[in-house]
Amino acid sequence: MTEPPGPPWALLAELTQACPLRCGYCSNPVELTRRSAELTTDQWSDVFRQAGDLGVVHTHLSGGEPLLRRDLPELVAAADGAGLYTQLVTSGLGLGEGRLAALTGAGLRSVQLSVQHADPSTAEHVAGARSFTAKERAARLVREAGLPLGLNAVLHRANLDDLDGLVRLALDWGADRIELANTQYHGWAARNRAALLPTPAQVERARTRVAFWRARLGDALELVWVAPDLVDATAKPCMGGWGAVSLTVAPDGTVLPCPAAGTLPDLDPPRVQDCRLSWIWRESSAFRAFRGEDWMPEPCRGCALRTVDHGGCRCQAHALTGDAARTDPACRHAPERPLVDALVDGAARTPHPPAYAYREGGP
Ligand code: FES
């Protein structure tokens, strides 16, 4: 029997799934939550209070685009009042001077801004929307407000070869950190896997450039590399382990062990409207489903890396094999690894990947 863990460290608060961008790599579900189904200001405020009582220290206010919530300053104030460190995860569209002042006044502590490419027209092609100038301005305003600024770049076939450009952009925009996160093929992104999947040669070149920039920049810019598990043939320690360090509250109040877990057919996730967050974290079947090691099949069960990768990604195992309890096929030892080898080989042999399927409209 797996012991309940200590308190979660982080809460991912998905305030809305509406977004002005149309990125093909979006990992939000194919069917987005309607605006009318989103939690109210009072409901979110209660979620933050419960999270603070549970021991959560950090909340990512995310989406979609959280700036589309008119009550965002009230939500920031509620999270701050509950003792949570608040980080806004944003596209930057809609982050004007007045809005930022209201958010900082409410207790906002830091901002993470998405970027698609260092070249404006390529960036807007990836995002499917005019956005580069707004992002540049948002970055400037965040720095002028004295808040820590992180950039998040989802990496894929169209931008891995310009990793230097992304690092220079982070330096130009005054960022403290850039997260270079290879695409995770969940939700809408799974539809675009053939368009997004990089070649192994691209990944190797990019990895070399990360090492170069880390050696050159030292502490001047934190570079975080989120590895491409499919190409590396190495399972990732997804979410730091199932139900181990963080929880996600979706816009409609569904509570999930990871943002993509809504796709798992038998999970039966609880909702904040029905249950206390503390019970959900400690007792719910959804959070206990893959906690610890009891659920692991072979070869995970006998593998020395099980304490490092925690068995890999459950959502990916389900997406690729139809069974969330299988070994993650990203792993070189997984029985279904040949499925992934075929995808990676296909990308390496394709000189011109297909065009993106963009997201159309908001929910
Ligand atoms: Fe759900 Fe990895 S995304 S476990």
Side-chain angles (χ1 to χ4, degrees), residues 109-134:
R109 305 293 187 89
S110 68
V111 175
Q112 179 181 283
L113 186 66
S114 68
V115 291
Q116 282 70 30
H117 201 285
D119 171 64
S121 66
T122 311
E124 292 180 350
H125 173 69
V126 172
R130 291 282 297 276
S131 50
F132 191 87
T133 304

Side-chain angles (χ1 to χ4, degrees), residues 17 26-33 186-191 263 359:
Q17 286 174 345
C26 178
S27 59
N28 275 340
V30 172
E31 292 295 329
L32 297 175
T33 303
H186 302 303
W188 189 264
R191 291 196 169 183
T263 58
R359 299 209 79 130

Side-chain angles (χ1 to χ4, degrees), residues 184 186 236 238-239 242 257-261 264 312-316:
Q184 310 210 26
H186 302 303
K236 58 179 177 257
C238 201
M239 305 305 295
W242 184 272
C258 78
L264 304 187
C313 178
R314 296 303 86 223
C315 301
Q316 184 155 268

Side-chain angles (χ1 to χ4, degrees), residues 77-94:
D80 184 62
L84 308 181
Y85 180 94
T86 52
Q87 181 186 50
L88 177 67
V89 180
T90 178
S91 67
L93 275 69

Side-chain angles (χ1 to χ4, degrees), residues 30-207:
V30 172
E31 292 295 329
L32 297 175
T33 303
R34 296 185 322 279
R35 302 284 334 247
S36 59
E38 291 173 4
L39 294 182
T40 64
T41 312
D42 286 348
Q43 286 173 314
W44 272 117
S45 299
D46 187 46
V47 167
F48 295 132
R49 271 192 299 275
Q50 290 189 51
D53 291 345
L54 184 54
V56 170
V57 296
H58 189 128
T59 186
H60 310 274
L61 302 167
S62 179
E65 176 48 70
L67 288 164
L68 291 173
R69 289 279 308 216
R70 284 209 204 105
D71 58 354
L72 189 58
E74 290 161 81
L75 300 181
V76 169
D80 184 62
L84 308 181
Y85 180 94
T86 52
Q87 181 186 50
L88 177 67
V89 180
T90 178
S91 67
L93 275 69
L95 191 61
E97 222 157 331
R99 202 80 202 286
L100 185 59
L103 294 171
T104 51
L108 184 69
R109 305 293 187 89
S110 68
V111 175
Q112 179 181 283
L113 186 66
S114 68
V115 291
Q116 282 70 30
H117 201 285
D119 171 64
S121 66
T122 311
E124 292 180 350
H125 173 69
V126 172
R130 291 282 297 276
S131 50
F132 191 87
T133 304
K135 288 173 182 291
E136 192 171 24
R137 177 164 180 263
R140 179 173 54 75
L141 293 174
V142 170
R143 296 308 296 148
E144 286 173 0
L147 294 183
L149 172 67
L151 301 187
N152 176 278
V154 175
L155 299 179
H156 44 81
R157 180 126 180 182
N159 62 8
L160 266 162
D161 289 330
D162 191 33
L163 198 119
D164 289 358
L166 286 166
V167 173
R168 289 197 184 98
L169 189 79
L171 293 169
D172 286 351
W173 288 7
D176 307 286
R177 179 179 200 268
I178 181 166
E179 192 169 314
L180 300 159
N182 282 277
T183 301
Q184 310 210 26
Y185 299 91
H186 302 303
W188 189 264
R191 291 196 169 183
N192 284 301
R193 192 166 46 212
L196 296 164
L197 198 62
T199 68
Q202 282 186 294
V203 168
E204 274 325 298
R205 284 195 295 272
R207 208 190 300 273

